[in-house]
């Protein structure tokens, strides 16, 4: 449930950054003004709150690093799968040339249609209707290629045909793996915990600044801006589409050319 909610909310890193910027700065400013209105002086309770503040900020740093590592690992897995899929398609095309005609020409032509569909699917969001359409087109082309493989195997069974079938099967499997990797994100529970801890950390930083009467630009604005930037970058890495940090699709583009 949480994964689906945050998956829809974090589709665009620019929207995420703008919303977080407004919310975090607003929370920080509210905490500072409430602290400034109370105008309390430092006491032993303030020293205790300083210990809690340090612990919460340490927890925030740990969660940010953990989330960044999760998103980075998923990004690297998607990149490797993209290269593997491109290599598998090349191998399938080369082995298809060894099939008897007209199956060889038919498979090569279907692969020429298959690559642009895979590029198109790579650029679409996982929740878009167009992504579902491209998946159906991919499945249709896979079924047609498999039918050619079955016909070639029935007409001339050999080790060459078997090797082609193995390559084609790997190509089909990699498409499914890439779809699964596209849907694999940082868990929603981690995002929820990270946002809660970030809010608590901002409050514990800005409120004491207000009680002490400090008009600190660093605590009221710079700190929440930095947190918003880091979280937005993590969502950008975690989203396998165009952005500041996107998957390099050149293996498929070069293959298409």
């Amino acid at each position: 449930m949480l994964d689906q909610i945050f998956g829809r909310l974090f589709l665009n890193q620019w929207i995420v950054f703008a919303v977080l910027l407004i919310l975090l700065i607003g929370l920080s400013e509210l905490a500072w003004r409430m602290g400034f209105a109370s105008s309390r002086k430092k006491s032993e309770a303030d020293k205790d709150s300083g210990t809690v503040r340090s612990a919460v900020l340490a927890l925030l740093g740990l969660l940010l690093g953990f989330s960044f590592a999760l998103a980075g690992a998923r990004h690297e897995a998607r990149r490797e799968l993209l290269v593997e899929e491109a290599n598998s398609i090349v191998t399938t095309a080369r082995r298809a040339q060894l099939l008897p005609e007209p199956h060889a020409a038919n498979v090569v032509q279907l692969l020429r249609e298959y690559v642009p569909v895979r590029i198109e699917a790579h650029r679409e969001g996982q929740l878009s209707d167009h992504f579902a359409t491209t998946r159906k087109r991919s499945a249709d082309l896979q079924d047609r290629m498999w039918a050619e493989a079955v016909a070639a195997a029935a007409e001339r069974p050999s080790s060459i045909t078997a090797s082609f079938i193995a390559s084609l099967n790997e190509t089909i499997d990699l498409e499914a793996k890439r779809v699964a990797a596209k849907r694999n994100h940082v868990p929603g529970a981690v995002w929820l915990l990270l946002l809660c801890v970030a809010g608590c950390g901002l409050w514990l930083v800005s409120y004491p600044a207000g009680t002490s009467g400090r008009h600190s630009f660093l605590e009221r604005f710079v700190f929440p801006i930095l947190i918003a930037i880091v979280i937005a970058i993590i969502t950008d890495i975690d989203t396998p589409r165009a952005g500041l940090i996107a998957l390099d699709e050149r293996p498929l583009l070069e293959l298409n050319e």
Side-chain angles (χ1 to χ4, degrees):
M1 183 65 178
L2 284 176
D3 293 345
Q4 295 178 356
I5 293 174
F6 282 97
R8 292 182 180 276
L9 291 176
F10 289 173
L11 285 176
N12 189 303
Q13 74 278 4
W14 300 112
I15 297 178
V16 171
F17 175 69
V19 172
L20 284 177
L21 198 62
I22 295 172
L23 291 178
L24 295 180
I25 290 180
L27 178 63
S28 179
E29 185 66 12
L30 175 63
W32 184 88
R33 290 184 180 276
M34 290 183 66
F36 187 75
S38 65
S39 298
R40 296 174 182 171
K41 296 182 179 180
K42 284 188 175 182
S43 62
E44 291 300 323
D46 295 322
K47 294 180 182 179
D48 294 337
S49 65
T51 303
V52 174
R53 180 169 61 250
S54 299
V56 171
L57 292 178
L59 178 60
L60 175 59
L62 180 64
L63 285 173
L64 287 173
F66 177 70
S67 302
F68 194 93
L70 283 178
R74 284 158 170 76
H75 181 83
E76 183 65 20
R78 296 185 192 107
R79 187 189 65 80
E80 293 178 355
L81 285 174
L82 189 147
V83 175
E84 289 179 13
E85 184 179 30
N87 291 336
S88 179
I89 293 174
V90 170
T91 302
T92 303
R94 288 174 176 170
R95 292 181 178 177
Q97 296 174 0
L98 302 176
L99 297 177
E101 294 294 347
H103 306 297
N106 292 339
V107 170
V108 171
Q109 179 58 37
L110 289 171
L111 285 173
R112 289 196 181 103
E113 299 175 17
Y114 185 70
V115 175
V117 173
R118 296 300 303 130
I119 295 174
E120 193 175 352
H122 166 71
R123 295 175 178 176
E124 292 296 326
Q126 61 172 341
L127 300 176
S128 67
D129 294 335
H130 196 58
F131 178 67
T133 302
T134 56
R135 284 215 67 195
K136 292 180 180 178
R137 291 166 58 192
S138 297
D140 178 64
L141 290 171
Q142 290 169 0
D143 291 341
R144 292 166 64 185
M145 286 187 287
W146 190 258
E148 293 290 341
V150 171
E155 180 180 327
R156 188 185 301 175
S158 65
S159 58
I160 294 177
T161 306
S163 66
F164 165 75
I165 292 176
S167 297
L168 179 59
N169 188 63
E170 182 182 5
T171 299
I172 296 173
D173 290 345
L174 282 170
E175 189 267 345
K177 289 180 180 179
R178 285 197 61 203
V179 172
K182 191 183 186 74
R183 294 171 175 168
N184 189 15
H185 300 284
V186 175
V190 175
W191 284 124
L192 181 60
L193 180 61
L194 176 59
L195 293 176
C196 291
V197 174
C200 292
L202 285 173
W203 188 275
L204 291 174
V205 168
S206 298
Y207 187 85
T211 57
S212 63
R214 296 196 311 271
H215 295 271
S216 176
F217 183 81
L218 178 65
E219 293 165 331
R220 293 167 62 188
F221 300 104
V222 175
F223 186 47
I225 290 174
L226 289 176
I227 294 178
I229 291 174
V230 173
I231 295 178
I233 290 177
I234 294 174
T235 60
D236 192 16
I237 297 174
D238 195 44
T239 306
R241 292 192 296 126
L244 294 177
I245 304 172
L247 285 178
D248 186 2
E249 59 183 15
R250 282 181 296 179
L252 286 177
L253 291 176
E254 293 170 356
L255 178 60
N256 190 42
E257 293 174 359

